[in-house]
């Protein structure tokens, strides 16, 4: 047992049980369990009582699949906001939501049930939809929790909750009773495959080939009334369309009132059977029309303004119908003929023109897309050839009819961008249907009682909201200003029924608030299923009469509400109604300064931000939020959208399982979310590398805190060594910045600043130069305790500052921090550090003062590196640094005196520092650029401007003898027992550590 006691063993090396290897995929689930068992979310709510409130109201993701990276980004950002607000001293509850109704789920369930669905009662189908949605609510919940997102996951809001559904219906009744709702025929996007109206948001554009035809419409009114030059002549106009199936619905031809039109005498056919006809077309398009219609020659007979053509009449090319000449400013001069075929049942512009000219918008294309003839315009025994054909099949038949009648001037195929259904991806049509609408021009009153319209009030409310980034404001303003009336009905079953009774006689709804309340109660009690299962007489009071016609027969409306209406009323069903949120939200509505944030992808300006604004403005006269932030898209490294076919997707769940949920979080923090963001396996691995560095920094900090007891060992700020004070000032500066960036949602700046601090300030500098003090000084020495006091404050502050982002790791570090009585059980229950608690002074002046030291340090490091390159030294401790400053009466750098030699020695990590003051010219001669001219110049200026910066830094071999313990070259070394070459500083430290000089090979005490 007689081994020589080792001098090395007397060093105080870092030690911590905090593991170097994170094992995130294994350890994160354990921490999640711990958070669950300590009921962390409930504890946070308790802790928040009495604090000012902050409400991030969650936009519900659609519950029909596992989460993708966009979801992870969305929930990650929200989690940063909620956690940082909580740690900044707010009560910030977070109730996540799920959007559950609607077509995508109903279609999936349809596919699954197949023909069985037809025999199933409605409640059973609804139950199947509910189960389908719940399956994905559960899956997404577990996935969001896996990446460390806090929230009330045990009781999220779901748009299919009974209470939510009842609230949605109640909100609809609010619109109905306040006069916003009307039923009308209106063209809507219609999918003939899914047999449903589609919202704008449910339409996507793709290429589609359509027939492009030029059709002759013969003038039946007096041509002389248009222009005298045409008197007595046979005149026609030409329309151009890519939807021949809409021609049976053609009721008008629209001209631009301000365009110039010409009457062309056009020659067609070859020399043997030449023919001339007169056509009216826009002057600017005449040449192109002549080419497309193969006119061999044209001659302009007359020229006139489009306004001349109003109320002209034409013969429909194959129906017994007179076509009206109308004016419209949407007519363009870049395609077609300037004469626009107008079918009010099949186009939005056409519809509004029809309203102005009192045209009948009745639609004769049925829900499955079959075309039917208007009996009033067909005086033949046999139906026309297109009768009963699907729109696409009707096209060639109608083109053949046009040709037969000599009305077809040209026909070709056109490949163009065309609206398609977002679900079945088949082309959609515009079709006028009976729908329920919310009228954008409904008269409303402002808070001050003045009159305005719903649309205008919504626009005014947008102005009171903070839009981040700012372009969102203009975007949503334009959308609200130009949007058509809101079509809120859908012809499906998986959604909240428009629970209204319609009079069989006059087709008007019963609007009876008492009846409406009773149906809301019924939904609350029995669910939406009750609308299908309860007989009318059990809901309607006996003897109910129509207020309009006195009718007594009623039918139940079978349409359901648009899902955007569902989610758009979440402020009402959740924020205003949930026991945990309603007081906070009430405060916001009373303008008590509470912030209500909506944070979603940029496409929600036409989605959830939009529908929520409309419902809240209509029912409460104000926007439902005062702050809206939007995120860009997640793309691959080449800027392409992620897709299965490209195989460039990044699955956040897979990343969490392989690299850790923390890595997903770190990636979210690394991107500037307001722009489009790149993600890839590569970038995730880079985040994992950054993570390892951060973790090692924490480990090193913790290791150096071994044995430190804050209450016992802390040094007062005034007594700290200058370098330690400098680091506290840096930490305070970092803290101030980070707190500001959390408040401004600038998470990527936090990510960069924390990384830079960990790598540049800590690893490459402070922790490196501290090694001498930390390892060789006695643990009880003031110098070492000064460093530990600062390391403790840095670690404490850093742990709290990163907790919203690195939620798992910060909480793990928290467990290993030196124990402090009464500290919170989790970092997430703690608050952000107070900058003045880290360092009491304003750091700016001190940091400024230190800038020069770092400039000199940079020069010294260059000299040391040069010595190393010349193989004159190995470690920097083998050298001494000499600073030569000019002798002057104007003062010196603040650190350039004998008081600061030890500090300089430490930050330069050398054995010795020497400061000499000599004649300026002597220094100048030593500088590489110090030629005689320069010296004369300097000399000439001497005495006029103090040249404080005339200096020279030199690295020299250290004098003295290498201490066997601290490896510094010291002027005095001596034996310490059997240990040879121990410097005075080390032997004093050993005495202070009560290590007596060992006299034999027995271990030292
Ligand atoms: Zn479809
Ligand atoms: Zn009636
Ligand atoms: Zn020593």
């Amino acid at each position: 047992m007689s081994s020589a006691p080792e001098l090395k063993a007397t060093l105080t090396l870092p030690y911590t049980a905090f593991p170097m290897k994170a094992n995130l995929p294994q350890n994160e689930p354990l921490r999640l369990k711990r958070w669950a068992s300590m009921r962390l979310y409930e504890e946070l709510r308790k802790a928040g009582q009495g604090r000012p409130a902050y409400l991030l109201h969650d936009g519900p993701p659609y519950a029909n699949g596992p989460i993708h990276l966009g979801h992870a980004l969305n929930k990650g950002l929200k989690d940063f906001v909620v956690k940082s607000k909580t740690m900044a001293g707010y009560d910030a509850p977070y109730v996540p939501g799920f959007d559950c109704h609607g077509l995508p789920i109903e279609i999936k369930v349809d596919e699954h049930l197949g023909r069985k669905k037809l025999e199933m009662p409605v409640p059973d189908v609804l139950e199947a939809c509910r189960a389908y949605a719940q399956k994905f609510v559960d899956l997404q919940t577990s996935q969001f929790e896996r990446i460390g997102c806090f929230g009330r996951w045990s009781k999220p809001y779901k748009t299919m909750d009974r209470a939510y559904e009842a609230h949605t219906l109640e909100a609809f009744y609010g619109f109905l009773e306040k006069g916003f709702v009307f039923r009308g025929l209106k063209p809507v996007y219609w999918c003939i495959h899914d047999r449903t109206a589609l919202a704008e948001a449910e339409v996507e554009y793709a290429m589609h080939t359509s027939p492009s035809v030029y059709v002759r419409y013969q003038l039946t009114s007096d041509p002389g009334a248009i222009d005298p030059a045409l008197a007595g002549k046979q005149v026609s106009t030409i329309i151009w369309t890519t939807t021949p199936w809409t021609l049976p619905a053609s009721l008008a031809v629209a001209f631009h009132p301000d365009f110039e039109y010409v009457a062309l005498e056009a020659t067609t056919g070859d020399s043997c059977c030449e023919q001339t006809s007169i056509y009216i077309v826009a002057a600017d398009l005449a040449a192109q029309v002549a080419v497309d219609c193969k006119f061999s020659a044209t001659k302009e007979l007359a020229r006139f303004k489009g306004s001349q053509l109003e109320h002209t009449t034409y013969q429909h090319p194959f129906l017994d119908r007179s076509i009206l000449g109308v004016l419209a400013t949407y007519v363009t001069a870049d395609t077609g003929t300037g004469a626009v075929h107008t079918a009010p049942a099949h186009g939005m512009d056409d519809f509004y023109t029809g309203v102005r000219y009192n045209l009948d918008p009745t639609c004769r294309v049925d829900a499955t897309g079959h075309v039917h003839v208007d009996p009033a315009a067909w005086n033949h025994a046999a139906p026309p050839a297109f009768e009963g054909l699907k729109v696409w099949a009707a096209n060639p038949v109608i083109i053949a009819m046009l040709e037969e009648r000599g009305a077809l001037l040209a026909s070709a195929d056109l490949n163009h961008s065309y609206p398609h259904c977002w679900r079945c991806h088949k082309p959609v049509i515009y079709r006028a249907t009976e729908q329920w609408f919310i009228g954008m021009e409904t008269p409303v009153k402002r808070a001050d009682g003045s009159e305005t319209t719903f649309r205008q009030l919504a626009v005014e409310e947008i102005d009171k909201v903070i839009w981040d980034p700012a372009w969102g404001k203009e975007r949503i303003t334009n959308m609200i200003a130009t949007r058509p009336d809101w079509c809120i009905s859908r012809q499906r079953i998986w959604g909240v029924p428009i629970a209204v009774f319609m009079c069989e006689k006059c087709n008007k709804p019963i609007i009876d608030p008492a009846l409406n309340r009773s149906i809301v109660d019924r939904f609350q009690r029995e669910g939406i299923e009750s609308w299908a299962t309860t007989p009318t007489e059990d809901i309607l009071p006996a003897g109910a009469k129509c207020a309009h016609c006195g009718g007594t027969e009623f039918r139940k409306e079978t349409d359901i509400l648009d899902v955007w209406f569902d989610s758009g009323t979440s402020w009402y069903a959740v924020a205003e109604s949930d026991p945990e949120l309603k007081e906070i939200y009430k405060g916001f509505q009373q303008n008590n300064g509470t912030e209500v944030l909506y944070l979603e992808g940029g496409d929600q300006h036409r989605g959830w931000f939009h529908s929520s604004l409309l419902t809240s403005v209509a029912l409460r006269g104000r926007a439902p939020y005062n702050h809206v932030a939007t995120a860009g898209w997640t793309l691959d490294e080449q800027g392409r959208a992620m897709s299965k076919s490209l195989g460039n997707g990044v699955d956040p769940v897979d990343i969490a399982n392989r690299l850790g949920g923390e890595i997903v979080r770190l990636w979210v923090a690394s991107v500037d979310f307001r722009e489009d963001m790149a993600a890839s396996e590569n970038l995730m691995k880079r985040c994992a590398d950054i993570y390892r560095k951060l973790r090692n920094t924490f480990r090193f900090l913790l290791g150096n805190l071994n044995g430190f007891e804050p209450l016992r060992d802390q040094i007062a700020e005034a007594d700290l060594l200058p370098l330690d004070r400098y680091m506290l000032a840096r930490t305070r500066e970092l803290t101030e910045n980070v707190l500001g960036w959390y408040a401004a949602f600038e998470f990527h700046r936090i990510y960069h600043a924390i990384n830079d601090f960990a790598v540049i300030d800590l690893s490459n500098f402070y922790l490196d130069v501290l090694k001498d003090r930390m390892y060789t000084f006695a643990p009880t020495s003031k110098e070492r305790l000064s460093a530990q006091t600062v390391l403790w404050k840095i670690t404490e502050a850093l742990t709290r500052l990163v907790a919203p982002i690195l939620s798992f790791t910060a909480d793990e570090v928290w467990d290993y921090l030196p124990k402090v009585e009464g500290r919170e059980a989790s970092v997430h229950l703690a608050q952000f550090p107070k900058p003045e608690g880290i360092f009491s002074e304003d750091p700016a002046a001190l940091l400024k003062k230190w800038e020069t030291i770092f400039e000199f340090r940079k020069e010294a490091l260059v000299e040391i590196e040069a010595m190393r390159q010349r193989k004159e030294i190995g470690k920097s401790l083998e050298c001494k640094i000499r600073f030569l400053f000019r002798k002057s009466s104007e003062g010196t750098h603040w650190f350039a005196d004998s008081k600061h030699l030890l500090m300089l020695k430490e930050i330069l990590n050398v054995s010795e520092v020497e400061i000499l003051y000599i004649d300026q010219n002597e220094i100048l001669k030593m500088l590489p650029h110090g030629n005689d001219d320069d010296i004369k110049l300097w000399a000439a200026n001497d005495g006029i401007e103090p040249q404080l910066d005339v200096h020279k830094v030199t690295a020299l071999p250290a004098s003295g003898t290498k201490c066997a313990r601290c490896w510094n070259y010291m002027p005095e070394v001596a034996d310490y027992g059997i240990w040879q070459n121990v410097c005075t500083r080390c032997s004093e430290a050993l005495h202070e550590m009560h290590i007596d000089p060992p006299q034999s090979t027995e271990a030292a005490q």
Side-chain angles (χ1 to χ4, degrees):
M1 293 293 291
S2 61
S3 62
E6 280 205 56
L7 186 55
K8 216 174 105 184
T10 67
L11 298 174
T12 315
L13 297 178
Y15 170 76
T16 175
F18 181 80
M20 178 144 82
K21 207 166 169 336
N23 277 330
L24 296 174
Q26 290 75 39
N27 287 333
E28 285 171 345
L30 300 178
R31 193 156 290 273
L32 289 169
K33 272 195 192 137
R34 181 168 147 191
W35 288 337
S37 71
M38 68 192 282
R39 302 177 65 76
L40 185 52
Y41 182 77
E42 290 76 5
E43 287 301 313
L44 283 166
R45 296 283 61 74
K46 262 188 242 164
Q49 278 170 23
R51 293 187 196 162
Y54 185 94
L55 183 60
L56 192 172
H57 178 49
D58 190 36
Y62 199 63
N64 71 332
I67 68 168
H68 55 64
L69 192 61
H71 289 120
L73 174 92
N74 175 292
K75 282 287 194 286
L77 292 172
K78 289 172 178 171
D79 196 46
F80 296 170
V81 171
V82 170
K83 281 180 179 147
S84 61
K85 290 294 174 189
T86 301
M87 293 186 77
Y90 289 92
D91 178 26
Y94 177 64
V95 177
F98 293 96
D99 200 6
C100 305
H101 293 138
L103 197 56
I105 288 177
E106 191 175 340
I107 286 173
K108 278 284 167 208
V109 170
D110 279 7
E111 281 169 12
H112 183 70
L113 295 175
R115 293 198 58 79
K116 215 167 69 187
K117 184 192 179 192
L118 301 174
E119 293 125 43
M120 281 169 73
V122 168
D124 291 359
V125 179
L126 293 179
E127 199 42 50
C129 291
R130 209 173 280 281
Y132 186 92
Q134 186 61 47
K135 183 173 116 187
F136 289 104
V137 167
D138 294 340
L139 179 67
Q140 291 188 2
T141 296
S142 70
Q143 294 175 328
F144 288 134
E145 284 197 285
R146 175 62 190 85
I147 56 172
C149 296
F150 287 2
R152 203 178 72 189
W153 294 107
S154 60
K155 197 172 176 294
Y157 80 81
K158 294 175 275 178
T159 58
M160 66 176 182
D161 285 338
R162 216 168 247 194
Y164 195 111
E165 290 171 337
H167 274 111
T168 305
L169 181 66
E170 200 170 25
F172 166 74
Y173 286 147
F175 274 92
L176 187 70
E177 291 163 18
K178 284 167 178 264
F180 283 87
V181 179
F182 67 91
R183 249 167 89 77
L185 260 188
K186 211 159 180 187
V188 290
Y189 281 118
W190 184 273
C191 176
I192 60 176
H193 178 258
D194 293 316
R195 276 180 264 168
T196 184
L198 296 169
E200 292 272 343
E202 293 169 338
V203 163
E204 57 192 27
Y205 281 79
M207 296 310 282
H208 178 70
T209 302
S210 303
S212 152
V213 294
Y214 287 91
V215 183
R216 174 214 303 262
Y217 275 40
Q218 196 173 320
L219 183 75
T220 50
S221 57
D222 174 18
I226 300 169
D227 191 288
L230 302 176
K233 296 200 154 61
Q234 202 186 71
V235 177
S236 299
T237 188
I238 307 173
I239 65 95
W240 173 74
T241 182
T242 57
T243 51
W245 61 266
T246 61
L247 288 173
S250 188
L251 293 177
V253 180
F255 302 95
H256 197 294
D258 304 326
F259 285 179
E260 294 260 303
Y261 284 81
V262 291
L264 286 186
E265 188 174 66
T267 311
T268 50
D270 48 32
S271 51
C272 81
C273 37
E274 242 175 31
Q275 241 179 291
T276 61
S277 317
I278 301 169
Y279 296 115
I280 293 173
V281 293
D284 287 347
L285 290 161
Q288 187 58 45
V289 172
V291 171
D292 290 349
C293 295
K294 300 196 172 63
F295 297 154
S296 50
T298 57
K299 187 173 135 203
E300 184 179 316
L301 299 184
R303 184 175 272 257
F304 39 85
K305 274 260 157 40
S307 51
Q308 283 294 99
L309 298 165
E310 191 175 23
H311 302 304
T312 48
T313 56
Y314 305 83
Q315 176 56 46
H316 189 282
F318 50 82
L319 295 178
D320 304 319
R321 179 188 289 156
S322 179
I323 300 287
L324 184 67
V326 298
L327 301 181
T329 50
Y330 55 78
V331 174
T332 66
D334 35 273
T335 47
T337 63
V340 176
H341 141 61
T342 300
H346 299 297
M348 201 54 87
D349 286 337
D350 303 39
F351 178 80
Y352 285 115
T353 300
V355 170
R356 282 192 292 119
Y357 287 92
N358 203 19
L359 304 173
D360 174 15
T362 301
C363 179
R364 290 191 170 78
V365 173
D366 65 21
T368 51
H370 296 92
V371 184
H372 302 285
V373 72
D374 172 7
W378 189 258
N379 295 325
H380 309 273
F386 60 78
E387 171 67 34
L389 294 179
K390 260 209 174 144
V391 288
W392 319 122
N395 276 339
V397 173
I398 288 168
I399 293 170
M401 279 177 81
L402 293 170
E403 193 158 26
E404 224 172 81
R405 285 163 168 73
L408 185 70
L409 297 181
S411 166
D413 279 346
L414 178 72
N415 196 24
H416 60 159
S417 174
Y418 187 87
H420 286 66
C421 170
W422 73 331
R423 293 314 310 166
C424 68
H425 308 297
K426 293 190 164 63
V428 301
I429 63 171
Y430 251 121
R431 175 174 177 266
T433 52
E434 278 262 291
Q435 299 289 344
W436 293 83
F437 290 92
I438 290 174
M440 293 303 296
E441 312 309 331
T442 308
V444 295
K445 281 200 169 76
R446 294 189 183 87
D448 65 7
S450 59
E451 305 262 336
T452 183
T453 63
F454 179 34
R455 187 191 302 278
Q456 178 57 27
L457 187 58
V459 167
E460 288 169 13
E461 280 302 307
I462 290 171
D463 204 42
K464 299 176 186 164
V465 176
I466 296 166
W467 298 90
D468 173 15
W471 54 258
K473 179 174 168 179
E474 194 188 337
R475 183 149 186 215
I476 192 166
T477 302
N478 289 340
M479 284 174 168
I480 296 284
T482 58
R483 65 157 300 145
D485 291 333
W486 184 2
C487 175
I488 52 168
S489 47
R490 296 290 183 275
Q491 290 69 48
R492 307 293 305 194
I493 64 166
W494 178 226
V496 176
I498 296 181
V500 166
F501 290 98
M502 306 298 295
C503 171
E504 288 283 21
K505 216 164 124 195
C506 72
N507 211 27
K508 291 208 167 73
I510 301 181
I511 303 178
D512 173 357
L515 171 65
N516 293 346
R517 291 293 90 72
S518 77
I519 301 173
V520 168
D521 290 346
R522 183 180 296 274
F523 275 28
Q524 182 84 52
R525 252 183 359 253
E526 301 165 21
I528 52 172
E529 291 81 353
S530 62
W531 185 245
T533 54
T534 317
T536 298
E537 58 273 23
D538 289 358
I539 306 176
L540 258 188
K545 266 202 172 87
C546 173
H548 302 280
C549 71
T552 53
E553 302 274 299
F554 299 95
R555 68 186 150 81
K556 277 190 248 168
E557 173 57 273
T558 56
D559 285 358
I560 60 166
L561 284 165
D562 176 14
V563 286
W564 290 108
F565 190 89
D566 284 23
S567 58
T569 50
S570 64
W571 60 268
Y572 178 60
V574 182
E576 239 187 43
S577 308
D578 189 286
E580 197 174 300
L581 307 180
K582 62 183 184 188
E583 285 308 314
I584 297 173
Y585 198 70
K586 196 194 281 170
F588 153 77
Q589 287 177 319
Q590 292 165 351
N591 297 316
N592 73 348
T594 300
E595 192 161 293
V596 171
L597 172 73
Y598 278 36
L599 193 176
E600 305 296 332
D603 53 338
Q604 298 304 327
H605 291 111
R606 74 167 184 177
W608 189 57
F609 300 151
H610 190 121
S611 59
S612 298
L613 176 76
L614 291 182
T615 58
S616 179
V617 167
L619 300 179
R620 293 292 177 268
R622 59 162 303 146
Y625 37 63
N626 49 12
H627 192 165
V628 176
T630 46
W633 299 104
T634 52
L635 306 171
D636 73 3
E637 279 182 285
Q638 279 85 50
R640 299 173 304 184
M642 292 184 183
S643 72
K644 277 210 178 94
S645 57
L646 285 173
N648 59 353
V650 176
D651 174 1
V653 178
D654 168 59
I655 297 292
N657 289 339
R658 284 191 293 120
L659 303 175
E662 203 81 311
I663 305 306
V664 178
R665 303 180 67 87
L666 200 55
W667 173 79
V668 174
S670 74
V671 295
D672 182 357
F673 73 85
R674 290 167 179 91
E675 308 286 328
D676 288 344
M677 293 146 285
S680 65
E681 178 75 19
N682 246 342
L683 290 172
M684 292 293 170
K685 288 208 167 118
R686 205 178 297 165
C687 284
D689 287 340
I690 299 265
Y691 173 80
R692 266 188 291 277
K693 282 187 197 140
L694 283 172
R695 185 176 180 90
N696 268 335
T697 305
F698 272 117
R699 185 162 185 271
F700 203 68
L701 287 166
L702 290 171
N704 277 308
L705 289 172
N706 190 28
F708 182 73
E709 286 184 27
L711 277 181
R712 183 191 65 193
D713 299 332
Q714 237 184 116
I715 301 281
E717 189 181 291
D719 300 331
L720 295 172
L721 298 194
L723 171 62
D724 302 331
R725 284 172 60 82
Y726 161 77
M727 279 311 292
L728 276 194
R730 272 290 291 128
T731 309
R732 171 167 171 170
E733 180 193 53
L734 175 80
T735 303
E736 284 171 351
N737 286 338
V738 168
L739 296 184
W741 289 325
Y742 271 122
F745 308 155
E746 301 269 11
F747 308 116
H748 63 295
R749 292 191 201 283
I750 299 171
Y751 166 89
H752 288 297
I754 296 277
N755 281 336
D756 287 351
F757 186 74
V759 173
I760 299 168
D761 293 83
L762 292 178
S763 293
N764 295 354
F765 175 60
Y766 190 53
L767 295 177
D768 189 42
V769 305
L770 269 189
K771 280 177 185 163
D772 187 44
R773 206 184 332 156
M774 291 304 299
Y775 299 179
T776 72
F777 283 46
T780 45
S781 70
K782 284 274 172 276
E783 292 89 345
R784 195 173 187 277
L785 290 177
S786 168
Q788 277 193 314
T789 300
V790 169
L791 290 174
W792 174 61
K793 287 194 163 198
I794 290 175
T795 315
E796 254 261 338
L798 218 49
T799 307
R800 294 168 192 252
L801 287 177
V802 302
I805 294 169
L806 295 176
S807 298
F808 293 98
T809 308
D811 207 41
E812 189 185 355
V813 172
W814 193 253
D815 294 341
Y816 290 90
L817 283 177
K819 295 285 165 272
V820 173
E821 193 71 34
R823 189 164 56 200
E824 297 81 357
S826 162
V827 70
H828 298 294
L829 288 161
Q831 304 266 293
F832 279 141
K834 299 258 177 296
E836 63 280 8
I838 294 168
F839 188 59
S840 62
E841 290 172 33
D842 176 1
L846 183 68
L847 294 176
K848 180 91 197 128
K849 212 168 112 177
W850 272 71
E851 278 174 14
T852 22
I853 292 204
F854 282 102
E855 280 162 28
F856 281 102
R857 177 172 180 263
K858 216 185 281 170
E859 285 185 51
L861 294 183
V862 169
E863 296 300 317
I864 295 168
E865 185 53 33
M867 268 187 99
R868 210 196 317 267
Q869 293 290 325
R870 295 195 299 268
K871 305 228 183 307
E872 291 168 19
I873 54 159
K875 297 194 178 313
S876 63
L877 276 178
E878 290 167 36
C879 71
K880 115 172 160 189
I881 290 290
R882 171 183 289 161
F883 289 106
L884 296 176
F885 292 109
R886 67 189 279 270
K887 239 186 262 168
S888 95
S889 53
E890 289 90 7
T892 55
H893 290 292
W894 65 271
F895 53 85
D897 58 34
S898 56
K899 271 204 323 266
H900 290 100
L901 287 179
L902 283 177
M903 174 189 85
L904 291 171
K905 169 189 146 27
E906 181 170 55
I907 66 169
L908 297 172
N909 205 14
V910 294
S911 282
E912 198 183 348
V913 172
E914 192 177 60
I915 292 174
L916 297 173
Y917 288 91
I918 62 169
D919 180 71
Q920 172 173 286
N921 288 353
E922 294 305 310
I923 301 177
L924 288 168
K925 274 181 209 157
M926 285 185 251
L927 298 180
H929 57 275
N931 58 42
D932 286 347
D933 288 346
D934 276 344
I935 294 170
K936 276 183 208 141
L937 192 68
W938 285 114
N941 286 336
D942 197 21
I944 302 165
E945 288 170 48
Q947 300 295 333
L948 208 54
D949 283 338
V950 178
H951 67 269
K952 165 92 178 144
V953 181
T954 325
L956 306 159
S959 49
T961 310
K962 182 180 178 180
C963 169
R965 184 168 177 271
C966 69
W967 296 5
N968 278 272
Y969 283 72
M970 293 301 216
E972 282 174 47
V973 294
D975 289 353
Y976 192 84
I978 59 164
W979 292 329
Q980 296 172 346
N981 293 338
V982 177
C983 74
T984 315
R985 198 185 73 182
C986 280
S987 61
E988 281 168 14
L990 289 168
H991 281 303
E992 196 176 333
M993 292 161 77
H994 307 295
I995 298 171
D996 294 329
Q999 301 306 323
S1000 69
T1001 54
E1002 304 275 317
Q1005 288 305 301

